[in-house]
Amino acid sequence: MKCLINRLVTALSPIPLIIGIVGLTSPGVAQTRPGGNIMTVCNPMNLDYRFTLEGPSRREAADPTAITFKNEYYLFASRSGGYWHSKDLSHWDLIKTDDLPLEDYAPTAVTVGDTVYFMASTTKPGGKIYKSADPKSGKWTVANSDFPFALTDPDLFLDDDGRLYLYYGCSNVQPIYVVELDRKTLMPMGKSTGLFAGNPKTYGWERFGDYNERPEKPWLEGAWMTKYKGTYYLQYASPGTEFKSYSDGLYTSDKPLGPFKLAANNPFSARPEGFIAGAGHSSTFQDRYGNFWRISTMSISVKHRWERRLGLFPAFFGPDGRSYTNTAFGDFPFIIPNNKITSLAELFPDWMLLSYGKPVQVSSELPNHPARQGVDEDIRTYWSAATGGPTEWMQIDLQQPCQINAVQLNFAEEGATLLGRSADIAYRYKLAYSDDNRTWKSLADKSANRQDAPHDYLAFAAPVRARYLRVTNGHTPSGQFALSDFRVFGKSPDKLPAPVTNLSVVRDKADPCIVTLTWPKSEGSVGYTIRYGTAPNQLQHTYQVFGVNSLVIRSLNRDESYYFTVDSFNGRGITAGAKPLRIP
């Protein structure tokens, strides 16, 4: 398996670059491996997302800004009623404050020496910029009380020469803008400069819809600037936050005010499918070890189109502009590093998904939320019990004894009426396992849990061998006991799937942004990862599917050639695809 992962890393990362990690939740249990302990995590981030203050009842967090300040980490998100702090990018604590406009959208923050500066979107002139030398305390003061114009989706960027810039914009008509700020007054110096607008006829990733099927004018938003080895990387989000196709494009320049040109490898980050999709409106930062990270907005959009979560992925910056965010298996467990990472293989714990499509039994179900939707790898569908009472349960049959390393329980909150935050919002349950469906052993007892963990991820200090797993409800804070997926990770005793051969790729002549792929089914496979890119050794775009052997991709750049290959995977591991196929 390690040899295979290293082969994939070679294909994905031809240029040695700094790397971050791919997943994040609240703490799991440390895993013991040769060479010491590791900590694994799994997207979506298991934060205590607040329920919105208005109906319908749903959780929401989006438009994240993450920064490093004094070797610790701070995370701000839209309308979250607070912000989060972490010492290790694993354990996140909520900080509440009355000093910031935490109900405004798309906050930004920047570290300037020993001070953090903060601002958020404003609908009219007169917005404020805040500062704090101790953001952990929640105490902030006003640094600019009357910013002269309204702006949406701001990004404060401090260059390494000490000059401060503001990038902003959220429109399907107007471009992304930039203006330099005076460091002392925090006022604009001169007029804003328009940088670029959308071009959905040429750039497929900017088209509307879950699958980029609507060539309408996109919303360009969520600007974020990163400087790496003298190059300015300006990231922007499109086409809309409610879509699975929500992604970040990338322009580059050798000057902070431009002119900017489209980078060679776009979109910069995208996750069009999987258990949870979307990787747009992100922020990019470095951890204390020099690893690059991106925290992104991910889409649910069931109870409301702005029902969203956050995900964490690693980013790479290359001197030729072929920069990218790795989202392959982006909602499988990954390792949190405590050092500078040089290889993607160091982050993969060799745990595969075991629960997809497996037989399930439940205590009860609602007609529109049957049991099978609890193991279908789709956060937008879910199983719901008839009640939220302590007699409700779900059981998975893995159909053979497997090595189980981790479980993720994603609570769907069917029928919830909660608004805002309260101290009693917590899920309590028991998790058990069995070899024979008769004798059961405890795997986790969270019957006294007080932590709000809507995407609870449990990694076990030592793996267990079992065929059956059962979760039994203890307390659901509101509504019915419901799971958008009961996800199990580890190793099955199966053989690796056969490699994919005879891949067919047909590009649409009338619209070259569209390509159709078909391939014969691979024996023993559960799913496939399509890898593609604009160079044969840089297949950094990925698309993950289950149970199908054809796919239409509509997110290409009309004017570029591409290379494609398809990997197969199952509960045992991944089998790399054939030599990439070039499509002019």
Side-chain angles (χ1 to χ4, degrees), residues 163-226:
R163 298 170 72 174
L164 184 64
Y165 299 89
L166 173 64
Y167 299 83
Y168 64 95
C170 177
S171 173
N172 62 349
V173 178
Q174 301 297 322
I176 297 294
Y177 290 96
V178 62
V179 66
E180 185 174 359
L181 302 184
D182 184 286
R183 277 282 301 273
K184 293 182 179 179
T185 65
L186 301 180
M187 284 292 190
M189 296 171 59
K191 295 183 178 180
S192 298
T193 300
L195 299 177
F196 54 84
N199 185 5
K201 290 184 179 180
T202 302
Y203 308 145
W205 67 87
E206 291 186 347
R207 298 179 178 182
F208 257 47
D210 276 337
Y211 304 103
N212 303 111
E213 69 273 18
R214 295 157 51 191
E216 304 169 19
K217 288 184 178 180
W219 284 84
L220 264 61
E221 56 193 32
W224 187 272
M225 173 60 74
T226 300

Side-chain angles (χ1 to χ4, degrees), residues 364-366 383-388 392 480-481:
S364 64
E365 61 183 30
L366 294 181
W383 161 72
S384 178
T387 76
E392 305 288 8
Q480 286 75 46
F481 182 54

Side-chain angles (χ1 to χ4, degrees), residues 7-328:
R7 285 169 57 197
L8 295 179
V9 170
T10 300
L12 288 170
S13 308
I15 304 169
L17 296 171
I18 298 171
I19 186 171
I21 71 166
V22 172
L24 182 66
T25 63
S26 61
V29 182
Q31 300 293 322
T32 302
R33 287 166 56 92
N37 292 330
I38 65 169
M39 183 77 75
T40 62
V41 293
C42 188
N43 279 325
M45 296 173 70
N46 189 26
L47 300 170
D48 51 346
Y49 301 96
R50 192 189 68 180
F51 285 85
T52 55
L53 300 181
E54 72 286 336
S57 175
R58 84 271 180 192
R59 297 180 190 259
E60 176 188 325
D63 318 319
T65 283
I67 62 169
T68 303
F69 179 69
K70 295 184 178 179
N71 283 328
E72 297 182 0
Y73 310 102
Y74 293 85
L75 171 60
F76 305 84
S78 291
R79 303 188 69 188
S80 290
Y83 55 94
W84 292 272
H85 159 263
S86 175
K87 294 182 179 179
D88 57 8
L89 291 176
S90 172
H91 307 75
W92 291 90
D93 302 314
L94 182 71
I95 298 173
K96 296 182 179 180
T97 179
D98 295 326
D99 295 342
L100 296 179
L102 294 174
E103 296 311 311
D104 290 344
Y105 280 104
T108 184
V110 64
T111 300
V112 181
D114 61 356
T115 302
V116 174
Y117 290 85
F118 171 101
M119 71 183 305
S121 299
T122 59
T123 58
K124 58 184 179 180
K128 296 179 175 59
I129 300 177
Y130 302 82
K131 66 179 181 179
S132 176
D134 184 16
K136 196 184 304 184
S137 70
K139 296 179 179 179
W140 298 75
T141 59
V142 175
N144 181 337
S145 62
D146 192 17
F147 198 77
F149 57 82
L151 77 167
T152 309
D153 290 8
D155 168 42
L156 292 168
F157 167 68
L158 181 69
D159 205 344
D160 48 23
D161 62 3
R163 298 170 72 174
L164 184 64
Y165 299 89
L166 173 64
Y167 299 83
Y168 64 95
C170 177
S171 173
N172 62 349
V173 178
Q174 301 297 322
I176 297 294
Y177 290 96
V178 62
V179 66
E180 185 174 359
L181 302 184
D182 184 286
R183 277 282 301 273
K184 293 182 179 179
T185 65
L186 301 180
M187 284 292 190
M189 296 171 59
K191 295 183 178 180
S192 298
T193 300
L195 299 177
F196 54 84
N199 185 5
K201 290 184 179 180
T202 302
Y203 308 145
W205 67 87
E206 291 186 347
R207 298 179 178 182
F208 257 47
D210 276 337
Y211 304 103
N212 303 111
E213 69 273 18
R214 295 157 51 191
E216 304 169 19
K217 288 184 178 180
W219 284 84
L220 264 61
E221 56 193 32
W224 187 272
M225 173 60 74
T226 300
K227 188 177 183 182
Y228 179 73
K229 292 189 175 181
T231 297
Y232 295 86
Y233 295 85
L234 182 54
Q235 302 131 58
Y236 73 98
S238 72
T241 187
E242 69 269 36
F243 300 130
K244 290 184 177 183
S245 61
Y246 199 39
S247 60
D248 283 347
L250 183 67
Y251 282 76
T252 62
S253 178
D254 58 1
K255 299 180 178 64
L257 297 177
F260 285 86
K261 64 178 182 179
L262 189 75
N265 195 37
N266 264 291
F268 180 43
S269 68
R271 182 164 176 78
E273 276 293 1
F275 170 65
I276 184 169
H281 199 138
S282 316
S283 60
T284 306
F285 69 104
Q286 284 183 284
D287 66 17
R288 69 182 71 174
Y289 309 109
N291 304 308
F292 277 104
W293 306 65
R294 281 170 59 72
I295 292 185
S296 301
T297 304
M298 307 188 81
S299 169
I300 298 179
S301 303
V302 172
K303 297 179 175 69
H304 188 278
R305 67 173 180 163
W306 288 351
E307 181 186 11
R308 298 164 290 180
R309 299 293 189 267
L310 303 182
L312 187 67
F313 308 97
F316 302 81
F317 296 92
D320 63 351
R322 293 184 182 276
S323 304
Y324 71 99
T325 304
N326 184 69
T327 64

Side-chain angles (χ1 to χ4, degrees), residues 288-516:
R288 69 182 71 174
Y289 309 109
N291 304 308
F292 277 104
W293 306 65
R294 281 170 59 72
I295 292 185
S296 301
T297 304
M298 307 188 81
S299 169
I300 298 179
S301 303
V302 172
K303 297 179 175 69
H304 188 278
R305 67 173 180 163
W306 288 351
E307 181 186 11
R308 298 164 290 180
R309 299 293 189 267
L310 303 182
L312 187 67
F313 308 97
F316 302 81
F317 296 92
D320 63 351
R322 293 184 182 276
S323 304
Y324 71 99
T325 304
N326 184 69
T327 64
F329 295 97
D331 47 33
F332 281 32
F334 268 75
I335 297 168
I336 298 179
N338 57 4
N339 58 288
K340 184 177 177 180
I341 299 300
T342 58
S343 169
L344 183 61
E346 298 176 55
L347 303 180
F348 192 61
D350 294 351
W351 305 342
M352 302 302 294
L353 181 70
L354 304 176
S355 48
Y356 170 73
K358 293 298 168 52
V360 290
Q361 292 181 305
V362 295
S363 53
S364 64
E365 61 183 30
L366 294 181
N368 294 329
H369 301 288
R372 66 177 183 276
Q373 292 185 168
V375 289
D376 64 357
E377 280 300 289
D378 185 353
I379 199 169
R380 292 182 170 185
T381 63
Y382 52 90
W383 161 72
S384 178
T387 76
T391 61
E392 305 288 8
W393 52 267
M394 169 179 269
Q395 180 178 309
I396 298 178
D397 178 3
L398 300 178
Q399 298 182 297
Q400 58 185 331
C402 296
Q403 172 187 305
I404 298 169
N405 293 84
V407 167
Q408 186 189 47
L409 295 167
N410 299 274
F411 296 98
E413 294 154 354
E414 169 66 13
T417 59
L418 297 170
L419 299 175
R421 278 199 174 92
S422 64
D424 60 348
I425 298 178
Y427 295 92
R428 293 188 275 277
Y429 60 87
K430 292 182 179 181
L431 190 63
Y433 68 100
S434 173
D435 281 331
D436 56 12
N437 201 20
R438 293 188 298 272
T439 302
W440 291 85
K441 298 179 181 179
S442 175
L443 190 55
D445 186 345
K446 301 198 76 171
S447 55
N449 176 51
R450 298 292 178 184
Q451 181 183 9
D452 186 10
H455 301 282
D456 212 4
Y457 173 72
L458 306 174
F460 308 114
V464 299
R465 181 181 178 275
R467 173 174 169 173
Y468 301 91
L469 289 98
R470 176 184 286 192
V471 57
T472 301
N473 184 40
H475 170 74
T476 296
S478 180
Q480 286 75 46
F481 182 54
L483 293 169
S484 58
D485 262 40
F486 181 175
R487 307 178 76 211
V488 183
F489 298 96
K491 282 285 188 181
S492 74
D494 300 299
K495 295 180 180 179
L496 286 172
V500 171
T501 58
N502 300 319
L503 171 65
S504 169
V505 184
V506 178
R507 197 164 189 177
D508 192 311
K509 292 182 180 180
D511 187 353
C513 293
I514 302 174
V515 66
T516 300

